[in-house]
Amino acid sequence: MYGIIDGKAISQAIKDEVKAEAEKLSETGRKPCLAVILVGSDPASAVYVGNKKKACEYCGFDSVSIEMPEETTEEEVLKKIAELNSDENVDGILVQLPLPKHINEDNVILAIDPSKDVDGFHPVNVGNLLIGRDGFVSCTPAGIIELLKRSDVDIQGKECVVVGRSNIVGKPMAVLMLRENATVTVCHSRTKDLKEVTKRADILIVAIGKPRLITKEYVKDGAVVIDVGIHRTENKKLCGDVDFDDVCERTSLITPVPGGVGPMTIAMLMKNTLISFKNRTGR
Ligand code: NAD
């Protein structure tokens, strides 16, 4: 019999902890503040930005929403980031990705002050993560560590396989699992025999962006399976990179989609913004 890792409940607990701490710390003086830049009118991005704004409200943070039209130039975005970098009342700056094609994402990420980079995408924060120094960690992988710890999964010494090597999920995920003393293998689109590798995993973390690719043949009996993927199916339902119905009986614990990893990303964004606020105000 498998157990479900309830990302909805765990993310709610984290947001409540953040809210309580933020309330206490802002009794005198300003509140934590997150600035979000949205360029263009991608409907999915607009929903994500709206959800971030709602989470700020819930946690008692201030939020600044900067909406720029599709034809905004890279220079204009960089100028806005420079303004936010020097605004003492802003703790976190997030640029919603993807950006329109004419804007170079690397240049935009590099322009964000690393001490306000609550998404953890700036190379300074990525480097700090790699060498074990304090810094902001990408929210989705940081959220997965919280899911595992709060579900009492013992990570130390375990075989962990991460499928996917993106800068946002796969790579930081592998480093975080290494930091927790797992034995880590990273697989990707050129891995020769994916099943052979994933079947070794005590903890299998899947972030490949391919609906229901992982079936029970890829999973060892009793494994913990974390599914990062999010896809909308033909009948408008959500599914992950893991075929949940096929795999669940083989696992000891598994994250559902929706309600698994998804809600954790915003909760960790709130946590990172609170950390930045504490760093900046010395509270
Ligand atoms: P990406 O496209 O940047 O990277 C996908 C990775 O998977 C690549 O490294 C590629 O090598 C690997 N890959 C692709 N096909 C493969 C295959 N057949 N076998 C083995 N490896 C393969 O994707 P990403 O940004 O890391 O996102 C992955 C998934 O997670 C997407 O579905 C995305 O929507 C979702 N996602 C969810 C959240 C969340 O908050 N829950 C956050 C980020 C991404």
Side-chain angles (χ1 to χ4, degrees), residues 70 74 98-105:
E70 183 81 24
E74 186 174 311
L99 286 165
K101 296 239 173 334
H102 64 278
I103 301 177
N104 181 312
E105 280 184 6

mmCIF file of all heavy atoms in Angstrom, residues 70 74 98-105:
data_model
loop_
_atom_site.group_PDB
_atom_site.id
_atom_site.type_symbol
_atom_site.label_atom_id
_atom_site.label_comp_id
_atom_site.label_asym_id
_atom_site.label_seq_id
_atom_site.Cartn_x
_atom_site.Cartn_y
_atom_site.Cartn_z
ATOM 1 N N GLU A 70 4.433 43.165 -24.775
ATOM 2 C CA GLU A 70 5.223 42.216 -25.566
ATOM 3 C C GLU A 70 6.417 42.884 -26.272
ATOM 4 O O GLU A 70 7.510 42.328 -26.332
ATOM 5 C CB GLU A 70 4.270 41.590 -26.613
ATOM 6 C CG GLU A 70 4.855 40.522 -27.492
ATOM 7 C CD GLU A 70 4.903 39.156 -26.819
ATOM 8 O OE1 GLU A 70 4.116 38.911 -25.886
ATOM 9 O OE2 GLU A 70 5.742 38.337 -27.248
ATOM 10 N N GLU A 74 14.818 44.745 -24.438
ATOM 11 C CA GLU A 74 15.649 44.187 -23.365
ATOM 12 C C GLU A 74 16.166 45.317 -22.457
ATOM 13 O O GLU A 74 16.163 45.183 -21.232
ATOM 14 C CB GLU A 74 16.818 43.422 -23.995
ATOM 15 C CG GLU A 74 17.650 42.678 -22.977
ATOM 16 C CD GLU A 74 18.706 41.804 -23.644
ATOM 17 O OE1 GLU A 74 18.377 41.042 -24.569
ATOM 18 O OE2 GLU A 74 19.875 41.917 -23.234
ATOM 19 N N PRO A 98 8.683 32.075 -19.614
ATOM 20 C CA PRO A 98 9.641 32.551 -20.605
ATOM 21 C C PRO A 98 9.401 34.015 -20.982
ATOM 22 O O PRO A 98 8.284 34.512 -20.862
ATOM 23 C CB PRO A 98 9.363 31.644 -21.810
ATOM 24 C CG PRO A 98 7.910 31.283 -21.674
ATOM 25 C CD PRO A 98 7.629 31.231 -20.210
ATOM 26 N N LEU A 99 10.481 34.664 -21.462
ATOM 27 C CA LEU A 99 10.380 36.037 -21.953
ATOM 28 C C LEU A 99 10.157 35.998 -23.465
ATOM 29 O O LEU A 99 10.484 34.995 -24.113
ATOM 30 C CB LEU A 99 11.685 36.775 -21.644
ATOM 31 C CG LEU A 99 11.884 37.149 -20.173
ATOM 32 C CD1 LEU A 99 13.331 37.524 -19.905
ATOM 33 C CD2 LEU A 99 10.949 38.275 -19.763
ATOM 34 N N PRO A 100 9.621 37.087 -24.048
ATOM 35 C CA PRO A 100 9.507 37.113 -25.518
ATOM 36 C C PRO A 100 10.876 36.858 -26.157
ATOM 37 O O PRO A 100 11.910 37.192 -25.571
ATOM 38 C CB PRO A 100 9.024 38.541 -25.794
ATOM 39 C CG PRO A 100 8.393 39.007 -24.526
ATOM 40 C CD PRO A 100 9.093 38.306 -23.405
ATOM 41 N N LYS A 101 10.860 36.274 -27.340
ATOM 42 C CA LYS A 101 12.086 35.769 -27.998
ATOM 43 C C LYS A 101 13.194 36.815 -28.186
ATOM 44 O O LYS A 101 14.371 36.471 -28.200
ATOM 45 C CB LYS A 101 11.727 35.185 -29.378
ATOM 46 C CG LYS A 101 10.822 33.963 -29.310
ATOM 47 C CD LYS A 101 11.477 32.762 -29.953
ATOM 48 C CE LYS A 101 10.720 31.460 -29.795
ATOM 49 N NZ LYS A 101 9.824 31.290 -28.668
ATOM 50 N N HIS A 102 12.797 38.096 -28.354
ATOM 51 C CA HIS A 102 13.820 39.115 -28.614
ATOM 52 C C HIS A 102 14.564 39.546 -27.348
ATOM 53 O O HIS A 102 15.473 40.371 -27.418
ATOM 54 C CB HIS A 102 13.183 40.334 -29.308
ATOM 55 C CG HIS A 102 12.161 41.037 -28.456
ATOM 56 N ND1 HIS A 102 10.861 40.600 -28.344
ATOM 57 C CD2 HIS A 102 12.258 42.115 -27.662
ATOM 58 C CE1 HIS A 102 10.207 41.406 -27.518
ATOM 59 N NE2 HIS A 102 11.029 42.330 -27.085
ATOM 60 N N ILE A 103 14.189 38.998 -26.197
ATOM 61 C CA ILE A 103 14.869 39.367 -24.945
ATOM 62 C C ILE A 103 15.707 38.171 -24.478
ATOM 63 O O ILE A 103 15.202 37.055 -24.378
ATOM 64 C CB ILE A 103 13.853 39.768 -23.856
ATOM 65 C CG1 ILE A 103 13.011 40.961 -24.340
ATOM 66 C CG2 ILE A 103 14.560 40.100 -22.551
ATOM 67 C CD1 ILE A 103 11.925 41.392 -23.383
ATOM 68 N N ASN A 104 16.981 38.439 -24.192
ATOM 69 C CA ASN A 104 17.890 37.378 -23.776
ATOM 70 C C ASN A 104 17.711 37.092 -22.269
ATOM 71 O O ASN A 104 17.988 37.946 -21.428
ATOM 72 C CB ASN A 104 19.327 37.828 -24.091
ATOM 73 C CG ASN A 104 20.358 36.779 -23.721
ATOM 74 O OD1 ASN A 104 20.332 36.220 -22.629
ATOM 75 N ND2 ASN A 104 21.257 36.520 -24.644
ATOM 76 N N GLU A 105 17.249 35.867 -21.980
ATOM 77 C CA GLU A 105 16.940 35.526 -20.578
ATOM 78 C C GLU A 105 18.177 35.578 -19.689
ATOM 79 O O GLU A 105 18.099 36.013 -18.543
ATOM 80 C CB GLU A 105 16.313 34.122 -20.508
ATOM 81 C CG GLU A 105 14.850 34.149 -20.871
ATOM 82 C CD GLU A 105 14.142 32.811 -20.726
ATOM 83 O OE1 GLU A 105 14.742 31.831 -20.221
ATOM 84 O OE2 GLU A 105 12.987 32.747 -21.145
#
